[in-house]
Every structure is written in C-alpha cells, then in structure tokens.
C-alpha cells in the first residue's frame, strides 16, 4: 500500500509569471511509479483557475504581440540555453514522475529542445508574400498574425517533449498560452514555466494550470481561447475536438495509436530484432510511436522469434535512475492493471503468449508499478489486441503471406500514426512509402519521429483536424493569415465615385 506523509511538497499553478498557492484539499497525489510512493501533490484546477489564467494571458497578449520579432527570438535563445543547462534536472523529474529510464528522459528533453531551435528562427517562417501593382497603384500582401490566447492540453507520457512541440511555436508566433499538462507527470512542467520566466518570458505569456476533466472542460468552453492543440487518447481528443470546434475554436487533436512495422524476407533480421525490442518496449511501450505490432511476411516470424527471445531475456527492468536499466515501471498502478487485463484478453482470444511479463516483480521495489515485457505470436486482425491500443510493453507478431497482405493489414487498421518497413529492396520500400496510409513512415527506422523542424501528425483515429503539429503546419495553426489590399492615392487624384465592383 502506498503511504503518504504530511510534509509532501505541493506544486502550484503558474499564472502571471509566478506560482499560485493552493490548499491541500484542492490537490491530488503524484506517485513515483518506481517506488509506488506518493512524492508530491498536484493542484486540481478547474474553471476558476482557467479563468484567472486566461485573464492573465489576455492582459499579456498586446505587448507580446507587438514585441519586435528579434526581441522575442532572443528570449527563446535564452530559454534554449536554460533548458540545456537544466536538461538533467528535467530528465530526473520525468523519470521520477513517469518511470522511464533517465537516458530516455534526457533524450526526450533534447528532442523537445529541437522545437525551441525552430522557434528561435521562426521570424523567417512568419513572413508574408507581397505582390505590387495588382491594380492601378494597388499592392497586395499577406501577413501572419497571432490568434490571441491559445491552449495546449498534453499527455502523461512525454511531459517535456510534447508540450515543447506546441507552446514554443504558439508563443513565438505572438500568442499567449495556457498549458494544461497531465496531472500524472507534472514535475517537469513546473520547471519549464520557471525557466521561461528566468529567460525573460513576460508574465502571463506562458501559464500552467493543472487539473483533469474540469480544467479541460473549462478550456474547451472558454470563449476567449481561440485555439487548442490536444495530445492524448482518442476518446478525450474527440471530445476536445468536437466541443472546441463547435464553439468556433481551431482545434488539432493528436491521439491514440497502434503502430505496425512490416518485415520483408530480405530484411536484416538482427536489425529488425534490435529495432522491434527497442521500439516495442522502450519507455515501457508508453510512446505514441511505439511499434507494438510486427507484420511478419513469409517465414520472417520463424526467423525472428529466437532473436527476439534472446534480446528480451537480457532486458534489465529496474528503477529508471538505475544505471543500465532498459525499462522502468508502468506510470500508474491502474494502467499496470489495465495492461495485465489486456494480456488476459489476448490469451482468451487465442493469440500465442510466447513471453508473459505479468509474473515480473522487482525485488528491490515490490510496491513499484513494475511489469515485465510480453510477446504474443499469431495475432490476427479480428482480435482486440490487434485493433486496440494497449500502451504498454506488449508486442504482437502478425503473420502475413505477402507484402500486399501485410500492407493491407496496416492500411485496414483504425489507427494511423507511425509505421515502418524493414527491407533491403529499395523498390519495395518505395511502394510502401507511396501506398501506406500512415503519415509518419520509417524505412529501416523503427520510431520515425520527424525532426523538430518538421511537422508531426497522424490520420484516421490518430488525429483530428486539418493541420499537423509543429513545423510549417504548427505555424499555420497558431497564426491568422491576413490578406491586405493597399493603395496610397495621390492627393486630389482620386477617381470619381463608382458603385461598380472594383476591377483593374
Ligand atoms: P489522456 O487522454 O488520458 O490525457 C490527455 C490529457 O487529457 C491530459 O492532460 C489529461 O489530464 C486530460 N484528460 C484525461 N481524461 C480526461 C477526461 N475524461 N476529460 C477531459 N480531459 C481529460 O491521455 P494520456 O493517458 O495522458 O496519454 C496517453 C495517450 O496519448 C495514448 O493514447 C497515446 O497514444 C496518446 N499520445 C498521442 C500522441 C500523438 O502525437 N498522437 C503523443 C503522445 C501520446
């Protein structure tokens, strides 16, 4: 049983550039999943906190919008330096709250900082287009301006990287932001907000409100929030998308996934085995880009099984701060139980459970939320464990006779986030890239998360909205394009009044 001591630190919302004190009654527990202990408390914000944060963001908006781009960019350069300087601190907080290994957490921080790099250079991407003389002494041009107050609602599994995929672009484009992170992994969010202030980010530009359903509802319904980017499950993402767009907001929801890698018989099987174990079990399978299905063509499943088993047997599952740990615990006790339940469903559906991680216990931390890795073979497309996201260290092999059959299995899936093909045949890889209906594609790369300056998005049940996150689409999402038609008539040379539609 988890115990709770009265002297636990209480986190605070971050509004108007400073922490907001909360009473103990308005907080919930934060667990360290590696020990199962409550380590701090997080506020449960709702409509009042969201309202205060929006007022702060509204007040900060005009000066922030009007700040010269280079001055804004300089704040981002300072923020980037501070984030690098605190990369280890951020990573430690991620590991503490989420459980992933410290090197994995550090890699998350560094991948997230790539979007700050992009924000530093954003003035280039905010440029418009100008065309002179579209009519007599008439010029026309486009410009991109901020929307106003915007929001980010983010999941537990990337407490630093996913918020960083959203708020730097929103801020650099001149918006002010309300960030509502997951209450399960809030530690690293607080530090980011503090560093933003230290970097010179004006009060009210980046506000953090913690909370769950009530806070999200308040954001979705707030009339002064112009746009929301949501990252999380399809169920909640659909609610945010439908209720937000109904109220005239611009919404992008980036949601659940079940990614599959297609293995062709000519692939390098050692590379495939390494990639499958890394992409299936890294971060305990709690990545939206985890590859948890392998579509094995021809005899590849038979050739891969011993290689996968050999690698699985060597995995070290331990506290993420322990040197050499490959995988940490599951982020919450409830989620661990849900994964265990899924393994039982797979067995009942008739898949072959080749490796059963349910029996794993970490002797050093019996109360931690640890789970071993599991591997199914002979998973078929009629099974729930094929169709549904488990979001844990559970890997399934699906057998396909041909490339076409394998491709059809991937294209028939409800989710379409990331995929990969493993082959030494350039022609087959080319066909895969052109015909697969999944937008993020790896060729002999198992977790094809695009570089920080590129966009990131899914399709089908993995994303809602027209634009991707980050990159060029991120700029479009967080700006309003204006089309200006301009004339400077010479005094006294204005033509006669005419009601005819203006022409050339
Ligand atoms: P989640 O949907 O439970 O939570 C996401 C956010 O919504 C959090 O801020 C949470 O506090 C809030 N929330 C949770 N329940 C809510 C409710 N009933 N009403 C309103 N708000 C609610 O997701 P999670 O468990 O934190 O994250 C895991 C999910 O996120 C997985 O499905 C994963 O695939 C997905 N994910 C997707 C991407 C992507 O880019 N597509 C990236 C990371 C994670």
């Amino acid at each position: 049983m988890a115990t709770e001591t009265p002297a636990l630190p209480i986190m605070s919302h971050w509004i108007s550039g400073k922490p907001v004190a909360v009473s103990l009654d308005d907080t919930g527990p934060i667990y360290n999943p590696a020990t199962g202990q409550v380590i701090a408390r997080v506020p449960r914000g709702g409509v009042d906190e969201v309202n205060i944060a929006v007022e702060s963001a509204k007040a900060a908006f005009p000066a922030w919008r009007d700040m010269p781009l280079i001055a804004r960019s300089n704040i981002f350069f300072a923020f980037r330096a501070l984030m690098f300087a605190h990369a280890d601190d951020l990573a430690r907080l991620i590991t503490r709250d989420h459980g992933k290994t410290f090197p994995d957490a550090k890699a998350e921080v560094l991948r997230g900082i790539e979007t700050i790099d992009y924000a530093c250079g954003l003035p280039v991407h905010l440029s418009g287009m100008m065309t002179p003389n579209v009519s007599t002494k008439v010029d026309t041009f486009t410009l991109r301006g901020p929307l106003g107050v915007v929001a980010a609602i983010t999941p537990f599994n990337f407490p630093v990287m996913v918020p960083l995929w959203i708020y730097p672009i929103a801020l650099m484009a001149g918006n002010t932001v309300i960030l509502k992170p997951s209450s399960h992994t809030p530690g690293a969010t607080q530090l980011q907000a503090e560093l933003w202030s230290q970097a010179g980010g004006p009060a009210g530009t980046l506000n953090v409100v913690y909370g769950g359903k009530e806070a999200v509802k308040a954001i979705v319904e707030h009339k002064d929030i112009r746009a929301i980017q949501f990252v999380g499950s399809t169920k909640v993402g659909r609610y945010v998308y439908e209720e937000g767009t109904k109220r005239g907001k611009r919404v992008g929801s980036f949601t659940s996934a079940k990614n599959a890698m297609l293995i062709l018989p000519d692939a390098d099987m050692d590379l495939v085995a390494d990639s499958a174990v890394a992409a299936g079990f890294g971060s305990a399978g709690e990545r939206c880009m985890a590859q948890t299905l392998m579509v094995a063509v021809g005899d590849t499943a038979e050739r891969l099984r011993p290689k996968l088993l050999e690698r699985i047997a060597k995995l070290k599952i331990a506290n993420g701060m322990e040197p050499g740990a490959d995988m940490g615990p599951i982020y919450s006790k409830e989620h661990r139980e849900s994964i265990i339940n899924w393994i039982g469903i797979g067995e009942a559906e008739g898949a072959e459970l080749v490796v059963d991680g349910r029996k794993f216990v970490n002797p050093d931390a019996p109360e931690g939320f640890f789970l071993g890795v599991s591997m199914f073979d002979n998973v078929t497309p009629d099974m729930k464990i094929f169709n549904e996201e488990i979001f844990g260290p559970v890997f399934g092999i699906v057998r396909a006779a041909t490339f076409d059959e394998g491709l059809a299995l991937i294209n028939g899936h409800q989710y379409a986030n990331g995929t990969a093909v493993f082959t030494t045949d350039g022609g087959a890889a080319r066909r895969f890239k052109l015909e697969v209906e999944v937008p993020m594609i790896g060729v002999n790369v198992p977790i094809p998360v695009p570089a920080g300056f590129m966009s990131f998005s899914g399709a089908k049940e993995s994303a809602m909205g027209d634009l991707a996150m980050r990159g060029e689409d991120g700029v479009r999402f967080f700006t309003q394009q204006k089309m200006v038609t301009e004339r400077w008539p010479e005094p006294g040379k204005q033509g006669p009044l005419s009601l005819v539609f203006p022409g050339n």
Side-chain angles (χ1 to χ4, degrees):
M1 281 287 289
T3 53
E4 196 173 330
T5 57
L8 289 171
I10 301 180
M11 298 184 55
S12 10
H13 305 291
W14 187 269
I15 299 175
S16 292
K18 54 184 188 302
V20 179
V22 285
S23 78
L24 189 63
D25 294 345
D26 296 330
T27 65
I30 308 171
Y31 291 87
N32 178 338
T35 62
Q37 304 297 305
V38 178
I39 40 141
R41 299 198 60 90
V42 61
R44 288 197 202 101
V47 67
D48 291 344
E49 291 75 12
V50 168
N51 285 345
I52 296 167
V54 173
E55 285 313 309
S56 158
K58 272 169 67 180
F61 175 66
W64 182 244
R65 175 198 57 203
D66 296 342
M67 183 184 277
L69 279 175
I70 297 304
R72 238 159 39 203
S73 182
N74 281 338
I75 294 174
F76 271 96
F77 276 108
F79 182 50
R80 180 178 181 275
L82 284 168
M83 289 288 282
F84 267 121
H86 289 272
D88 281 2
D89 301 329
L90 289 159
R92 265 190 291 274
L93 289 165
I94 296 172
T95 300
R96 184 199 72 175
D97 293 356
H98 175 283
K100 67 177 75 173
T101 66
F102 177 76
D104 195 35
K106 179 94 181 266
E108 166 184 347
V109 174
L110 300 180
R111 285 301 299 266
I113 291 174
E114 285 179 22
T115 316
I116 307 181
D117 299 348
Y118 185 71
C120 289
L122 211 62
V124 174
H125 298 278
L126 290 170
S127 320
M129 182 183 82
M130 199 221 182
T131 313
N133 289 323
V134 289
S135 182
T136 309
K137 293 193 190 279
V138 173
D139 305 331
T140 187
F141 62 95
T142 60
L143 59 86
R144 290 202 165 273
L147 301 174
V149 180
V150 301
I153 301 169
T154 56
F156 80 88
N157 67 323
F158 282 107
V160 170
M161 187 177 79
V162 166
L164 280 178
W165 284 359
I166 304 174
Y167 73 79
I169 294 179
L171 283 168
M172 189 58 210
N175 302 283
T176 51
V177 175
I178 314 295
L179 169 60
K180 208 301 290 166
S182 167
S183 297
H184 291 283
T185 52
T189 316
Q190 186 97 359
L191 181 52
Q192 287 174 76
E194 286 170 23
L195 296 178
W196 174 250
S197 286
Q198 276 180 41
T205 49
L206 176 63
N207 304 279
V208 178
V209 176
Y210 298 105
K213 205 172 170 175
E214 291 309 309
V216 169
K217 184 169 185 283
I219 288 172
V220 166
E221 294 183 356
H222 201 295
K223 67 177 178 31
D224 293 329
I225 294 180
R226 299 280 316 279
I228 307 171
Q229 277 193 343
F230 169 91
V231 182
S233 63
T234 298
K235 185 168 153 259
V236 182
R238 184 168 301 290
Y239 156 76
V240 172
Y241 183 76
E242 288 179 355
E243 292 302 314
T245 51
K246 205 196 275 181
R247 289 167 173 79
K249 297 184 198 313
R250 200 176 275 188
V251 183
S253 282
F254 305 94
T255 52
S256 305
K258 183 95 176 181
N259 308 308
M261 48 205 277
L262 183 70
I263 315 302
L264 301 186
D266 55 37
D268 173 341
M269 292 300 150
D270 285 307
L271 172 69
V272 173
D274 285 346
S275 303
V277 170
F281 304 130
S283 194
E286 295 167 334
R287 290 181 184 140
C288 69
M289 290 291 272
Q291 295 281 357
T292 50
L293 286 176
M294 170 190 282
V295 179
V297 175
D299 65 349
T300 55
E302 291 308 330
R303 287 156 62 199
L304 279 164
R305 259 175 78 147
K307 290 180 188 291
L308 292 167
L309 290 174
E310 185 193 320
R311 285 157 174 82
I312 288 171
K314 289 185 192 150
L315 291 179
K316 179 176 171 183
I317 302 170
N319 186 317
M321 292 308 291
E322 213 174 296
D326 293 302
M327 191 181 108
I330 304 303
Y331 85 98
S332 78
K333 192 168 178 230
E334 295 72 27
H335 192 51
R336 181 179 177 276
E337 276 157 19
S338 148
I339 298 166
I340 289 172
N341 189 44
W342 272 115
I343 298 169
I345 291 173
E347 276 189 304
E349 288 180 313
E352 180 192 356
L353 185 57
V354 185
V355 181
D356 185 353
R358 289 174 294 187
K359 299 184 193 86
F360 178 85
V361 179
N362 181 350
D364 298 332
E367 289 180 3
F369 310 145
F370 288 94
L371 185 65
V373 308
S374 297
M375 184 171 90
F376 281 105
D377 194 357
N378 292 301
V379 174
T380 53
D382 55 317
M383 294 178 182
K384 282 193 180 138
I385 61 159
F386 175 89
N387 286 298
E388 303 296 333
E389 180 183 56
I390 299 174
F391 220 55
V394 183
F395 187 78
I397 302 175
V398 192
R399 293 166 180 244
T402 61
F403 174 100
D404 288 283
E405 194 187 311
L407 180 65
L409 285 173
I410 295 174
N411 283 345
H413 207 283
Q414 63 168 331
Y415 292 120
N417 202 48
T419 187
V421 64
F422 282 78
T423 181
T424 49
D425 178 345
R430 180 174 185 276
R431 234 197 101 191
F432 185 78
K433 285 177 282 182
L434 295 181
E435 295 181 25
V436 77
E437 295 165 14
V438 180
M440 293 186 290
I441 304 165
V443 177
N444 298 317
V445 171
I447 307 182
V449 175
F453 55 86
M454 293 173 81
S455 293
F456 180 106
S457 184
K460 300 180 182 172
E461 290 296 299
S462 292
M464 285 150 237
D466 298 331
L467 294 170
M469 211 183 338
R470 314 185 318 186
E472 204 183 321
D473 270 15
V475 179
R476 288 208 181 109
F477 184 88
F478 283 119
T479 53
Q480 176 68 57
Q481 180 164 265
K482 297 179 181 173
M483 281 65 66
V484 182
T485 308
E486 187 174 85
R487 174 168 56 193
W488 294 97
E490 286 176 46
K493 295 213 174 156
Q494 178 110 3
L497 170 69
S498 166
L499 301 198
V500 176
F501 188 70
N504 297 320

